[in-house]
């Protein structure tokens, strides 16, 4: 059979795009990045040198702490032939009040991309609006989209697909929960989120995810009942109860989230071969028991490693 031009699905061209929230990306685009992530992981494992970003520099700005994001972006750009420039907000003038638009315009003259971890999503958006190079969100109070790329790569590896999976997220309706909801909706994966009533995900993000999911025929459920969320789930996900910037609420949150720990009892309501997921860093004895996170169904270190491969795929897509 001869293929007509219309039958051929061209690879999505993501060159020059920002990566601020998953909501800006479609299913095909996300699947394309994930496919590249698998290819780059295979290349890396077999020792193949692949350097499409030779001569390129990624500025890496952190206003919050990081282990995984920093190390995976720095080594990732290096492996792709480029260079990562770590810019602590304590050291650059932005930390002393230089306006974001000025910072964006100045950095655009030197760099080929910027990754930023900061507090407000508006900061990332303002940086992207004023920069002429791709801006990547390395976590804000609202979203953590890079994490979800690695999480979905991990689910594909372990479960073989994303669509026939039910994901349950238990705990705080935070940045990771928001990005998981949007990512699941875009892909058409069912997701159920259980949080205490006062810690539900952001209302607008829930509505956005539900609107997208309705078109895909998948479900986004928000409940206060962890057992309901976990029932028949293929993957159980949790995150810290107090995120960066909420340290002073740690004690009160420990009380309010006590019923939301992912432990063996809760796990027993999930599918038999369910996996345990966590973006890390984790607090054993709080959001997850040591038995679960250190048990044989836990894939947390595979997720952490996939940050490297998924973000390399992202950088190639946006910066090559
Ligand atoms: N999961 C994650 O983003 O980890 P870091 O805070 O160590 O970067
Ligand atoms: N919700 C956590 C994620 C850390 C990777 C935080 O924002 O601190």
């Amino acid at each position: 059979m001869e293929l007509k031009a219309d039958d051929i699905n061209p690879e999505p061209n993501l060159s020059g795009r920002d990566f601020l929230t998953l909501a800006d990306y479609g299913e095909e685009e996300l699947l394309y990045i994930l496919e590249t992530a698998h290819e780059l992981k295979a290349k890396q494992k077999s020792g193949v040198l692949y350097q499409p970003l030779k001569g390129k520099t990624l500025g890496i700005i952190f206003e919050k702490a990081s282990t995984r994001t920093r190390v995976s972006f720095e080594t990732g750009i290096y492996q792709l032939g480029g260079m990562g420039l770590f810019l602590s907000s304590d050291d650059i003038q932005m930390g002393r009040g230089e306006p974001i638009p000025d910072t964006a315009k100045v950095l655009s003259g030197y760099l080929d991309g910027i990754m930023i971890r900061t507090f407000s999503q508006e900061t990332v958006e303002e940086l992207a609006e004023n920069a002429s190079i791709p801006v990547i969100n390395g976590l804000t109070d609202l979203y953590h989209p890079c994490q979800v790329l690695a999480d979905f790569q991990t689910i594909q590896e372990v479960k073989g697909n994303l669509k026939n999976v039910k994901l349950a997220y238990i705990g705080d309706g935070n940045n990771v929960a928001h990005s998981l909801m949007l990512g699941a909706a875009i892909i058409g994966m069912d997701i159920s989120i259980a949080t205490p009533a006062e810690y539900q995900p952001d209302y607008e993000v829930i509505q956005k995810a539900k609107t997208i999911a309705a078109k895909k025929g998948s479900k986004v459920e928000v409940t206060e009942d962890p057992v309901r969320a976990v029932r028949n789930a293929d993957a159980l996900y949790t995150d810290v109860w107090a995120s960066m910037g909420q340290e002073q609420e740690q004690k009160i949150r420990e009380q309010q989230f006590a019923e939301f720990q992912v432990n063996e009892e809760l796990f027993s309501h999930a599918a038999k071969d369910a996996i345990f997921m966590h973006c890390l860093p984790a607090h054993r004895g709080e959001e997850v028991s040591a038995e679960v996170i250190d048990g044989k169904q836990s894939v947390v270190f595979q997720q952490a490693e996939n940050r490297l491969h998924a973000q390399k795929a992202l950088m190639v897509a946006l910066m090559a």
Side-chain angles (χ1 to χ4, degrees), residues 65-69 117 144 147 244 279-281 307:
S66 167
T67 297
R68 281 143 288 268
T69 306
R117 167 170 288 193
H144 196 0
Q147 178 66 48
M244 289 181 273
C279 56
L280 305 179
R307 294 293 303 277

Side-chain angles (χ1 to χ4, degrees), residues 64 117 139-140 144 147 174-176 239-240 242-244 279-281:
K64 290 178 176 175
R117 167 170 288 193
L139 180 146
T140 62
H144 196 0
Q147 178 66 48
N174 62 16
N175 43 12
V176 171
D239 184 17
V240 290
S243 285
M244 289 181 273
C279 56
L280 305 179

Side-chain angles (χ1 to χ4, degrees), residues 133-152:
I133 52 178
V135 172
I136 297 172
N137 179 357
L139 180 146
T140 62
D141 292 343
L142 191 64
Y143 292 126
H144 196 0
C146 292
Q147 178 66 48
V148 172
L149 290 180
D151 298 338
F152 283 8

Side-chain angles (χ1 to χ4, degrees), residues 38-209:
H38 292 292
E39 283 167 15
L40 294 185
K41 186 171 183 175
K43 275 197 175 70
Q44 172 81 3
K45 298 283 175 196
S46 54
V48 175
L49 210 60
Y50 178 64
Q51 304 203 308
L53 298 186
K54 223 179 179 117
K56 305 230 172 183
T57 309
L58 179 76
I60 303 175
I61 304 175
F62 281 95
E63 297 200 290
K64 290 178 176 175
S66 167
T67 297
R68 281 143 288 268
T69 306
R70 176 174 177 184
V71 178
S72 55
F73 267 107
E74 282 199 42
T75 48
I77 183 88
Y78 174 73
Q79 289 173 10
L80 292 167
M83 187 185 93
L85 197 59
F86 174 71
L87 303 163
S88 159
S89 61
D90 292 340
D91 302 332
I92 58 174
Q93 298 288 8
M94 202 181 97
R96 294 178 59 243
E98 181 165 17
I100 305 283
D102 290 2
T103 305
K105 287 168 196 157
V106 170
L107 292 182
S108 295
Y110 306 133
L111 302 168
D112 302 285
I114 301 171
M115 191 239 75
I116 178 166
R117 167 170 288 193
T118 185
F119 293 86
S120 117
Q121 181 71 13
E122 285 73 38
T123 302
V124 175
E125 280 164 11
E126 196 180 9
L127 192 71
E129 265 161 38
N130 290 281
S132 57
I133 52 178
V135 172
I136 297 172
N137 179 357
L139 180 146
T140 62
D141 292 343
L142 191 64
Y143 292 126
H144 196 0
C146 292
Q147 178 66 48
V148 172
L149 290 180
D151 298 338
F152 283 8
Q153 182 181 2
T154 308
I155 295 174
Q156 285 177 325
E157 287 172 340
V158 183
K159 297 285 168 197
N161 76 93
L162 293 173
K163 272 199 200 297
N164 302 320
V165 166
K166 177 186 171 185
L167 177 62
Y169 176 95
I170 314 299
D172 185 23
N174 62 16
N175 43 12
V176 171
H178 291 154
S179 286
L180 283 171
M181 279 169 70
L182 289 174
I186 293 161
I187 295 292
M189 176 197 289
D190 288 343
I191 183 166
S192 186
I193 310 240
T195 73
E198 15 353 338
Y199 295 99
Q200 283 197 347
D202 179 84
Y203 177 78
E204 278 179 32
V205 179
I206 299 176
Q207 295 316 314
K208 198 178 283 181

